[in-house]
Amino acid sequence: MLKVAIIGPGLVGGALLEQLVAHAKSQFFATLPISVVGLINSKKMAVTPTPFPEADLTNWKAAILGATAAPANLASFVEQLAQLPGPVALVDCTASDSVASQYPSWLTKGLSIVTPNKKAFSNDYALYHKIKEISSSPSGPFVYHESTVGAGLPVLSTLNDLVRTGDRIVKIEGIFSGTLSYLFNNFSIPGAASTFSECVAVAKASGYTEPDPRDDLNGMDVARKVTILGRCAGLDIGTDTLPVENIVPEALRTVTTADEFMQRLPEFDEHFKELNEQALAAGSVLRYVGLVDVRGGQSAVKLMRYSLDHPFASLKGSDNIIAFTTERFPNPLIIQGAGAGDDVTAFGIFSDLIRIAERVGLQRVHL
Amino acid sequence: MLKVAIIGPGLVGGALLEQLVAHAKSQFFATLPISVVGLINSKKMAVTPTPFPEADLTNWKAAILGATAAPANLASFVEQLAQLPGPVALVDCTASDSVASQYPSWLTKGLSIVTPNKKAFSNDYALYHKIKEISSSPSGPFVYHESTVGAGLPVLSTLNDLVRTGDRIVKIEGIFSGTLSYLFNNFSIPGAASTFSECVAVAKASGYTEPDPRDDLNGMDVARKVTILGRCAGLDIGTDTLPVENIVPEALRTVTTADEFMQRLPEFDEHFKELNEQALAAGSVLRYVGLVDVRGGQSAVKLMRYSLDHPFASLKGSDNIIAFTTERFPNPLIIQGAGAGDDVTAFGIFSDLIRIAERVGLQRVHL
């Protein structure tokens, strides 16, 4: 039995709870039992030695974290989980730096970690290294973070398999932002008629962007994903040194509000139109990509051109696409599909939890 | 320590041995030690309680299976391995039905199985079911067969993750034959000028086909892969009931030799040219695909048309491509890349061995 506790159960955590409740009723639960024993949000928390009943989980906000729950205290929450018998995995659904910085201490207490939170793996290298060091024992605890890149797409598991089996990564190239995928898939295709600012406005209205679209257009989210992939491929890179092309026009970087930014963005439509027309005239389209250049040392985040028959050019909607070029795969191994969304992010977390449940399977037999 | 024995070490097994020797020298061996303790081919065999030294493995044909080795006896080989302490995985690199039929008895002896041999998973359902039943215990032994579909591409692991986490598969559609991928990628693209028979001749001369290309064109290899995927998705399907479009012209199915087949194939170029021109006139190309139609019940292997902006249309070389359409991925999750070749097949086997090594990690600690 793998016991699971969720930190910051919001949309993704809620989707995960739904999937776990369905799992508990499925045939797979018999061989891979996973149960929820803890929930904490910014206000309340609850830990239980016996798993929460299904009825409470389907109504967790009121039934588990309602008015009668204890006040939130992360240190005490973790301490109580560490006292439970058997393996426990903490799922960090926050995007918090300070939560991520505590992973080493939690691992030291024997707690495994699964998370879509990119911070621990893309901030300073010392934290990353410490986490990898503690979690590299074959007897656990374990750290899995598939959902930090491409949500549930099998990106990190594939990269890890390539690296561990001795393949040599040449480069990893991809469209890692659902927002920027959607934007350029619509703005830069033959025959498209919308201006860049119109595309951004539609993306914002459809909920594809951050509240302030500059948080997507500045490339920092992509830079974090490139950092994570690069480190998994053995590079010592970080967002502080990676060249990142910020496509927010310089004059708009300092305006105060998102509204003002949106209002003034049309002033720069001519600039983007020109870039796009140059690309199209050359039989190409524009795509905003992250590049982990293991061989060439030119890792970067930038706007690039791809010819119309390239897989990046035919991408649809807000899909992600990741191409691994390696010694064994000179014609790259490519993975594409939805790289954002609550259900697919929860799917990635759940797959990671299953990997841990499989790895502690024998512990369950022996203990 | 996971002990590995290889049945039928030929090109794929040889590639695997090379990768394992490199692994033994890498940083990953410390946490995931995998060693080779047995080799058997049609003539000779050798089993050792302590792993074969690296020098012997790099020269295995002479050093391990040379004249002084014992005569091959599969039953005795398996028996000796079952007597070794600790976990042992058998790698079946044959394509043999009779070897595959012995998996249940090997599993009962506690031996895990990893294989690119499709037979056990695509023949009668009873054998498949028996294997799944014995290997579903969380404490092992384990069966992994990633390389049976798309070689080392993460196809079955992804499908298993989707199914186990409760996603609902709508359909799985793909180009599963490197040979037929190569053929139609070259024959059916706008502007291509070669006849169908010329494309087959080039593919044959380049080593992309079976010695008799009819063994590719009859679709049976694709049917086996569709069966494996369908069963992993929960369908009770088999090659005996699956509709398979055999694109070998009927008049050429009974000619005796591959040479005669090749000589007479040009008689049918007009037929293929017509099909192709019809497709191209409709803005499409021809691709030979396998379809697991979980929702609609119309699973099949057949020649289909895809519009030019479909990912199947822009496939290159002899790559495979697999699209999973599910409830969570209505816009499909797609995986593409080399789906045949010794190195990438060995990579798939090695990844499976690592999964087993991870799952027995605690056993190593406890025993």
Side-chain angles (χ1 to χ4, degrees):
Chain A
M1 172 76 75
L2 177 64
K3 292 169 181 163
V4 169
I6 303 175
I7 303 170
L11 295 172
V12 167
L16 176 64
L17 284 168
E18 260 179 51
Q19 292 179 12
L20 288 172
V21 167
H23 178 75
K25 298 179 201 168
S26 83
Q27 53 163 318
F28 299 104
F29 189 79
T31 51
L32 290 166
I34 298 177
S35 295
V36 182
V37 298
L39 292 181
I40 182 170
N41 62 19
S42 56
K43 298 198 181 99
K44 298 283 186 176
M45 72 176 190
V47 179
T48 166
T50 51
F52 293 123
E54 192 186 292
D56 286 359
L57 285 174
T58 51
N59 181 30
W60 58 274
K61 265 181 219 169
I64 301 176
L65 293 183
T68 59
N73 178 325
L74 187 53
S76 147
F77 182 75
V78 170
E79 208 42 65
Q80 288 178 61
L81 291 166
Q83 301 304 323
L84 296 179
V88 175
L90 276 169
V91 178
D92 172 17
C93 287
T94 74
S96 155
D97 270 316
S98 80
V99 171
S101 69
Q102 297 173 58
Y103 294 173
S105 85
W106 299 348
L107 290 167
T108 306
K109 293 182 204 294
L111 299 164
S112 290
I113 292 164
V114 173
T115 185
N117 180 357
K118 292 184 275 291
K119 298 300 164 59
F121 314 100
S122 57
N123 281 356
D124 66 297
Y125 199 77
L127 175 62
Y128 175 81
H129 190 70
K130 205 166 178 182
I131 291 168
K132 287 288 154 183
E133 197 183 354
I134 308 177
S135 64
S136 65
S137 152
S139 58
F142 308 104
V143 175
Y144 285 93
H145 54 102
E146 182 64 86
S147 296
T148 54
V149 181
L153 298 177
V155 174
L156 295 182
S157 56
T158 299
L159 175 56
N160 277 332
D161 279 346
L162 290 167
V163 170
R164 295 190 302 184
T165 62
D167 198 0
R168 288 190 177 82
I169 312 294
V170 176
K171 65 174 177 173
I172 308 166
E173 196 172 7
I175 296 172
F176 297 108
S177 154
T179 313
L180 291 160
S181 174
Y182 179 87
L183 260 183
F184 285 98
N185 295 348
N186 284 285
F187 175 63
S188 187
I189 47 164
S194 303
T195 64
F196 188 72
S197 64
E198 284 167 356
C199 288
V200 175
V202 171
K204 187 173 191 304
S206 311
Y208 281 127
T209 70
E210 295 290 324
D212 187 334
R214 289 176 294 184
D215 290 335
D216 298 300
L217 299 173
N218 68 16
M220 284 315 293
D221 176 65
V222 177
R224 286 195 180 277
K225 292 167 180 167
V226 165
T227 297
I228 293 170
L229 288 164
R231 288 178 179 178
C232 287
L235 297 183
D236 176 7
I237 62 173
T239 51
D240 48 340
T241 53
L242 194 69
V244 178
E245 185 176 343
N246 181 348
I247 60 171
V248 177
E250 211 153 339
L252 300 186
R253 289 179 197 169
T254 49
V255 303
T256 320
T257 67
D259 282 349
E260 194 184 344
F261 164 73
M262 291 302 291
Q263 264 165 22
R264 291 192 50 194
L265 188 56
E267 295 170 25
F268 300 87
D269 276 338
E270 196 55 34
H271 161 71
F272 287 103
K273 188 181 173 192
E274 217 165 273
L275 285 177
N276 197 25
E277 283 179 351
Q278 283 166 4
L280 291 170
S284 305
V285 294
L286 297 174
R287 294 292 181 263
Y288 191 84
V289 300
L291 171 66
V292 179
D293 186 10
V294 180
R295 278 283 159 85
Q298 303 295 312
S299 299
V301 174
K302 56 186 172 181
L303 205 53
M304 281 181 69
R305 289 183 189 178
Y306 292 90
S307 70
L308 287 173
D309 67 341
H310 191 281
F312 289 15
S314 52
L315 206 63
K316 302 277 192 305
S318 59
D319 276 3
N320 284 17
I321 187 164
I322 300 96
F324 298 95
T325 305
T326 76
E327 276 191 4
R328 292 185 198 139
F329 292 93
N331 205 15
L333 188 169
I334 297 176
I335 294 166
Q336 75 177 82
D342 303 329
D343 279 349
V344 295
T345 304
F347 158 58
I349 296 170
F350 195 174
S351 298
D352 282 349
L353 289 173
I354 285 183
R355 273 179 235 306
I356 294 178
E358 285 183 336
R359 296 183 70 172
V360 297
L362 285 158
Q363 190 167 15
R364 193 159 63 87
V365 173
H366 286 288
L367 294 182
Chain B
M1 172 76 75
L2 177 65
K3 293 169 181 164
V4 169
I6 302 176
I7 304 170
L11 294 172
V12 168
L16 176 63
L17 284 168
E18 259 180 51
Q19 292 179 12
L20 288 172
V21 166
H23 178 76
K25 298 179 200 166
S26 82
Q27 52 164 319
F28 299 104
F29 190 79
T31 51
L32 291 166
I34 298 177
S35 294
V36 182
V37 298
L39 292 181
I40 182 170
N41 61 18
S42 57
K43 299 201 180 97
K44 297 283 187 180
M45 70 177 191
V47 180
T48 164
T50 51
F52 293 123
E54 191 187 294
D56 286 359
L57 285 174
T58 52
N59 180 31
W60 59 274
K61 267 182 221 171
I64 300 176
L65 294 183
T68 59
N73 178 324
L74 187 54
S76 145
F77 182 74
V78 169
E79 208 43 65
Q80 287 179 61
L81 291 166
Q83 302 303 324
L84 296 179
V88 175
L90 276 168
V91 178
D92 172 17
C93 287
T94 74
S96 157
D97 271 315
S98 79
V99 171
S101 69
Q102 297 172 59
Y103 294 173
S105 84
W106 299 349
L107 289 167
T108 307
K109 292 183 205 292
L111 300 164
S112 289
I113 293 164
V114 173
T115 185
N117 180 356
K118 291 183 276 292
K119 298 301 164 60
F121 314 100
S122 58
N123 281 356
D124 67 296
Y125 198 77
L127 175 62
Y128 176 81
H129 191 70
K130 206 166 178 183
I131 290 168
K132 287 288 155 182
E133 198 183 352
I134 309 177
S135 64
S136 65
S137 151
S139 58
F142 308 103
V143 175
Y144 285 93
H145 54 102
E146 182 64 87
S147 297
T148 55
V149 180
L153 298 177
V155 174
L156 296 182
S157 55
T158 300
L159 175 56
N160 278 333
D161 279 346
L162 290 168
V163 170
R164 296 190 302 184
T165 61
D167 200 359
R168 290 191 175 82
I169 312 294
V170 176
K171 64 174 179 174
I172 307 166
E173 196 173 6
I175 296 172
F176 297 109
S177 154
T179 312
L180 291 160
S181 174
Y182 179 87
L183 260 182
F184 285 98
N185 294 348
N186 285 286
F187 175 63
S188 187
I189 47 164
S194 301
T195 64
F196 187 71
S197 64
E198 284 167 357
C199 287
V200 176
V202 170
K204 189 174 191 304
S206 312
Y208 281 126
T209 71
E210 296 292 322
D212 187 334
R214 289 176 294 183
D215 291 335
D216 297 301
L217 299 174
N218 67 15
M220 285 315 293
D221 175 65
V222 177
R224 286 195 180 279
K225 291 167 181 167
V226 165
T227 297
I228 294 170
L229 288 165
R231 288 178 179 179
C232 288
L235 298 183
D236 177 8
I237 63 173
T239 53
D240 47 342
T241 53
L242 194 69
V244 178
E245 184 174 343
N246 180 349
I247 60 171
V248 177
E250 212 153 339
L252 300 187
R253 289 179 197 171
T254 50
V255 304
T256 320
T257 66
D259 282 350
E260 195 184 343
F261 164 73
M262 292 302 290
Q263 264 164 22
R264 291 192 48 195
L265 189 56
E267 294 170 27
F268 300 87
D269 276 339
E270 197 56 33
H271 161 71
F272 287 104
K273 188 184 172 190
E274 219 164 86
L275 284 177
N276 198 24
E277 283 178 352
Q278 282 165 6
L280 292 170
S284 304
V285 294
L286 297 174
R287 294 292 181 263
Y288 191 84
V289 300
L291 172 66
V292 179
D293 186 10
V294 181
R295 279 282 161 86
Q298 303 294 314
S299 298
V301 174
K302 57 186 172 180
L303 205 54
M304 281 180 70
R305 290 183 187 177
Y306 292 90
S307 68
L308 288 172
D309 67 342
H310 192 280
F312 289 14
S314 52
L315 206 62
K316 303 276 192 307
S318 60
D319 275 2
N320 283 15
I321 186 164
I322 299 96
F324 298 95
T325 305
T326 76
E327 278 192 1
R328 291 184 200 138
F329 292 94
N331 206 15
L333 188 168
I334 297 178
I335 294 165
Q336 76 177 80
D342 304 329
D343 278 348
V344 293
T345 304
F347 158 57
I349 297 170
F350 194 175
S351 298
D352 282 348
L353 289 172
I354 284 183
R355 272 180 236 304
I356 295 179
E358 285 184 333
R359 295 184 69 174
V360 298
L362 285 157
Q363 191 166 17
R364 192 159 63 87
V365 172
H366 286 288
L367 294 181

